Amino acid sequence: MDKKILVTGGSGLVGQHLQDILPEAIYVSSSAYDLTKMSDVKEMMIDFEPNVVIHLAARVGGIVDNINYPVDYLEENVLMNTNVLKACHEFNVEKVIAILSTCIYPDVVDTYPMREEDLFNGPPTETNFSYGFAKRCMAAHIDAYRKQYDKKWSYLIPCNLYGEYDKYEEHHSHFISALIKKIYEAEDSIELWGTGKPLRQFMYGGDLARVIKYMIDEDVVGSFNVAPEWVHSINDLAEIGKKACLKEKLVVNYDCTKPDGQFRKDVDSSKLLSVLKDFEFTSLEKGIKKVYDKFSQRHNR
Ligand code: NAP
């Protein structure tokens, strides 16, 4: 297949990592097409006539933003995802890879790490309920297109990400990026939200980009969790971060009046790794150091 690849959400964290390794694709963001409007989505399809669509665009944010704007999270994500999938069908796009998130898994399950078949076995956690349901709708929508129209469409369910292209504004950045900024700016101590006890899996954004590229190059189709096997408490992550950034003496204080969020949501990636033989995730220490060095260079200028 002669591939003409269109990437939505091209200006985001994952989109920019993908640009580094897939420069031949076309990258679009909200400034060119507002995907909540079907007229814009159709215009985009007519403009580029892609046969592969990587759908990264989403309303994404931190815990506070999710709590404060549940309607916006639900409506914008449902509209974007529905419009993009319907247009991909109408314009005969052969391959779609859409990105979900481990945040959309049930709040609690009996056995961890969670597998792909656990996705609908219970409601998502309260703090990102709207985002979770909107993304689950996209999973159900893609499954339906596979059944009714035999589409070779896929979705990936990645864990929390970090990377040099993350946003660093308060309430928008993800945990590791916020941690790196705090460590960079701190002299003696940093303060983190919650108890420090919740467990998290974090992946370097460039690793997800490599998985997406592999799926295109090797024509892989399916639904896969994407996460490294390691799981750490927030407290352990702060310690790894301090060490990677060579600021081991910093004291970490916890504001227990602030929410912890979901206690754990670690997933099992063995289904993906049985297809992507020899794939190696970037270690947290190496990834955090890389992002910290880039962050420092930008801010020392
Ligand atoms: P991001 O940095 O927040 O970027 C979001 C992208 O979506 C931007 O390019 C943005 O364009 C675009 N977008 C938002 N609203 C839009 C609209 N109405 N019309 C068109 N484009 C719109 O997100 P990310 O971190 O790269 O995430 C990429 C995907 O991975 C998302 O689907 C997300 O749910 C998923 N994911 C992310 C994480 C994580 O920790 N970051 C974890 C798991 C899954 P503008 O720049 O123009 O606003």
Side-chain angles (χ1 to χ4, degrees):
M1 174 174 75
D2 203 15
K3 289 168 187 151
K4 193 166 185 197
I5 305 164
L6 174 69
V7 182
T8 71
S11 54
L13 184 162
V14 183
Q16 292 189 67
H17 275 291
L18 204 52
Q19 289 191 37
D20 289 343
I21 58 168
L22 199 65
E24 67 273 26
I26 300 153
Y27 292 85
V28 292
S29 68
S30 68
S31 57
Y33 305 95
D34 178 355
L35 303 180
T36 63
K37 295 182 185 147
M38 190 48 147
S39 53
D40 277 29
V41 177
K42 285 195 176 177
E43 197 185 317
M44 177 179 82
M45 291 295 187
I46 290 164
D47 288 348
F48 299 116
E49 297 180 335
N51 49 20
V52 178
V53 168
I54 312 300
H55 178 43
L56 305 176
R59 168 88 183 239
V60 185
I63 205 167
V64 174
D65 211 45
N66 270 273
I67 290 170
N68 289 341
Y69 302 103
V71 174
D72 300 0
Y73 273 85
L74 192 93
E75 287 180 357
E76 287 179 34
N77 284 311
V78 165
L79 282 169
M80 270 190 253
N81 299 339
T82 306
N83 289 342
V84 168
L85 294 182
K86 273 176 77 71
C88 285
H89 176 52
E90 190 180 328
F91 288 82
N92 292 317
V93 174
E94 286 168 55
K95 195 174 183 72
V96 173
I97 302 175
I99 309 296
L100 279 58
S101 166
T102 57
C103 300
I104 77 171
Y105 267 101
D107 192 16
V108 182
V109 297
D110 291 338
T111 319
Y112 291 89
M114 294 184 278
R115 298 171 70 89
E116 289 79 359
E117 52 271 27
D118 289 319
L119 191 58
F120 294 98
N121 289 342
T125 194
E126 192 55 39
T127 40
N128 56 229
F129 199 80
S130 288
Y131 174 80
F133 259 104
K135 288 263 178 189
R136 280 188 189 189
C137 261
M138 181 161 62
H141 203 167
I142 289 175
D143 288 342
Y145 269 115
R146 281 189 199 137
K147 282 184 198 141
Q148 191 173 333
Y149 295 104
D150 200 23
K151 298 281 189 197
K152 305 280 181 278
W153 292 0
S154 304
Y155 53 86
L156 296 174
I157 317 176
C159 64
N160 293 113
L161 304 171
Y162 66 95
E164 52 268 40
Y165 302 118
D166 204 352
K167 304 181 191 88
Y168 287 89
E169 306 102 45
E170 206 182 351
H171 301 325
H172 285 283
S173 63
H174 301 91
F175 173 73
I176 295 278
S177 309
L179 176 70
I180 287 172
K181 182 170 183 260
K182 279 175 198 265
I183 292 175
Y184 175 78
E185 290 170 349
E187 299 205 340
D188 307 312
S189 64
I190 58 170
E191 186 177 272
L192 300 178
W193 277 23
T195 60
K197 290 180 183 158
L199 303 177
R200 293 288 179 266
Q201 267 173 322
F202 268 97
M203 170 168 57
Y204 179 59
D207 290 356
L208 179 59
R210 285 194 292 131
V211 171
I212 294 170
K213 184 172 177 337
Y214 187 99
M215 290 188 64
I216 298 171
D217 291 347
E218 301 301 321
D219 213 14
V220 177
V221 177
S223 325
F224 303 99
N225 289 332
V226 193
E229 69 279 13
W230 49 81
V231 185
H232 295 286
S233 69
I234 294 289
N235 191 44
D236 286 348
L237 287 167
E239 293 305 317
I240 294 169
K242 278 165 44 181
K243 203 166 162 202
C245 305
L246 304 177
K247 287 183 103 173
E248 281 172 89
K249 291 203 174 121
L250 284 181
V251 174
V252 183
N253 297 314
Y254 288 94
D255 179 354
C256 297
T257 63
K258 297 289 197 312
D260 263 339
Q262 191 168 359
F263 182 69
R264 67 185 296 181
K265 47 187 165 178
D266 40 302
V267 294
D268 175 351
S269 297
S270 51
K271 183 177 169 197
L272 178 80
L273 294 174
S274 69
V275 180
L276 267 78
K277 300 252 178 341
D278 303 325
F279 186 87
E280 279 189 27
F281 289 98
T282 306
S283 74
L284 268 174
E285 292 77 2
K286 198 170 156 198
I288 291 177
K289 181 162 180 355
K290 192 169 172 178
V291 178
Y292 183 81
D293 289 347
K294 292 234 168 107
F295 185 86
S296 316
Q297 278 165 16
R298 269 208 302 273
H299 290 79
N300 281 336
R301 272 187 208 140

